[in-house]
Amino acid sequence: MSILKDILYKVAIESVTGSTEIAINQLHFDSRKIEADDVFVAIRGTISDGHDFIEKAIGLGAVAIICDTLPENLINGITYVCVKDTNTALAFMAANFYGDPSQKLQLIGITGTNGKTTIASLLYQLFKKAGFKVGLLSTVKILVDETEHKATHTTPDSITINYFLNEMIEAGVEYCFMEVSSHGIHQKRTEGLHFRGGIFTNLSHDHLDYHPTFAEYRDVKKSFFDHLPSSAFALTNSDDKNGPVMLQNTTARKLTYALKTYADYKAQILENQLSGLLLKINGNEVWVKLIGNFNAYNLLAIYGTAVELGLDSFEVLRLMSELESVSGRFQYIVSNANITAIVDYAHTPDALENVLNTINEVRTKNEQLITVVGCGGNRDTAKRPVMANIATELSDKVILTSDNPRNEEPETIIHEMEKGIQAQNFKKVLSITDRLQAIKTACQLAQPNDIILIAGKGHETYQEIKGVRHDFDDMKNVKEILNQLLK
């Protein structure tokens, strides 16, 4: 058990009613999880307000309430701590509760629109190959060295982050690579964490359902670098126009990587094939199994980070040559009929354009490129016509379909996508609401040597419809369909 006073260290407290010398069992912001002697932190969320569940939490056994507005009726024997911001308070309390685990390992945060999962996952792979015990906090999964846990958010809540960082410490982990989303930064989930370094990938149109403007989205990302300590490094993509912006106010050591401009870590693409890339990084050549310009940037970020963390540069290049692609990130199979199917998480205009350009760079143009793509429901609607326009401009055939419609009607989403199609591209397009049928149709249309891109869901193994998650795996489905077509 912990003492409440100890876990309130660094929290901006406005007032205290009751004693902070009490022993507490657990820390929760979900009232349903409260048990005897727990602390309940009332968070104001986008859907519900934790302040509405204070009475319920006390009824379930909470002995202390952390809130930003005191309830009208205070109950004797309960400690109420009024704070400036409950999200920030939760972050510091979680770090204190678990013994400040981020201080005890090398924590690297990766932020940007695209590439976070690939960079974090490949850094995990590389450092494992180098013989270290490593942790991963990503969209795809959480890894405590080799023990896997399911991930539910790009950046987990503060309690989950510190819980797993503590698990990593107990498992002897030395390095942890963590995706840092704009939601996570904005909701203060990364407060109280000690980062050894931060990586910026790129910035493009995304999450404007959450952030009111692109400027706010950019500035939230920037605030991550603003808060890095002087003992950390900040590594940014200087080819992205927002890359230098990230470094403007940071006290961390400023480093850059680029393909086009001068940078601390510079690469040239010597060969770009479906089987991999030949890169020249800071004067040394390396062959890697990943494909495309966007992966050249990802690999540069990985190289720079590994070198900054003390690994030998030649050893890093050797390890990079062994890296395997990340689940749902430009993952491909070639069927016995010589049809190539690529599954990619591309769910933003920029990511979709990158993937399609990459395919077009390595194909012969004697084959068809068939793209299956949709857009998520209850998310940024402005990107829907843009995504359809990119898909139709850069593909020979396009099938618009359902992604995760959530609580929207998939036909409505597809109709909004169709508005972005230019007249000369209408004949390329089919709209098939059922995603499985859309994938099946793409496979039936494909001839030997053709390429099918299935975009948007990548590693996800579900489809969310009306609040229910149904089993759905793009890679599994396309494999089965292509195998059946041979029979």
Side-chain angles (χ1 to χ4, degrees), residues 29 35 99 138 190 222 233 250 264 268-270 277 291-292 306 311 339 439 443 446 449:
F29 62 91
E35 295 180 357
S138 81
T190 54
K222 181 180 176 297
F233 65 84
T250 188
D264 298 291
Q268 291 170 270
I269 298 174
L270 303 179
L277 283 167
I291 305 152
L311 270 62
I339 294 166
I439 294 170
C443 293
N449 301 316

Side-chain angles (χ1 to χ4, degrees), residues 21 70 80 140 156-157 265 290 305 355 435 455 469 473 476:
E21 295 287 349
L70 285 170
Y80 297 87
V140 180
D157 64 81
Y265 296 101
L290 284 82
T305 300
V355 169
R435 191 173 180 91
R469 288 191 172 189
D473 184 329
K476 179 168 173 270

Side-chain angles (χ1 to χ4, degrees), residues 136-150:
L136 176 69
L137 292 167
S138 81
T139 305
V140 180
K141 56 192 165 188
I142 293 169
L143 286 165
V144 178
D145 196 27
E146 292 176 0
T147 305
E148 186 175 325
H149 303 269
K150 194 176 178 183

Side-chain angles (χ1 to χ4, degrees), residues 162-178:
N162 283 280
Y163 170 81
F164 280 113
L165 288 174
N166 188 54
E167 291 284 296
M168 290 175 196
I169 298 302
E170 291 183 358
V173 164
E174 296 171 69
Y175 298 91
C176 176
F177 302 102
M178 173 181 174

Side-chain angles (χ1 to χ4, degrees), residues 69-86:
T69 305
L70 285 170
E72 286 182 18
N73 300 315
L74 302 184
I75 298 170
N76 284 336
I78 302 296
T79 299
Y80 297 87
V81 180
C82 190
V83 299
K84 190 174 180 181
D85 176 68
T86 51

Side-chain angles (χ1 to χ4, degrees), residues 19 44 47 88 101 114-115 177 184 215 271 275 300 317 334 341 368 417:
S19 172
R44 297 188 190 276
I47 297 169
T88 306
N114 301 311
F177 302 102
E271 288 183 35
S275 55
L300 254 184
L317 292 172
V334 180
Q368 292 188 104
M417 292 183 76

Side-chain angles (χ1 to χ4, degrees), residues 453-467:
L453 170 66
I454 304 167
K457 289 177 56 58
H459 65 281
E460 292 177 351
T461 55
Y462 62 85
Q463 192 173 23
E464 190 176 331
I465 304 167
K466 302 292 183 192

Side-chain angles (χ1 to χ4, degrees), residues 38 70 80 87 128 136 140 242 259 266 298 377 405 432 484:
D38 285 351
L70 285 170
Y80 297 87
N87 280 301
K128 281 295 290 177
L136 176 69
V140 180
N242 292 291
L259 292 178
K266 183 89 166 65
N298 293 336
I432 301 173
Q484 284 167 5

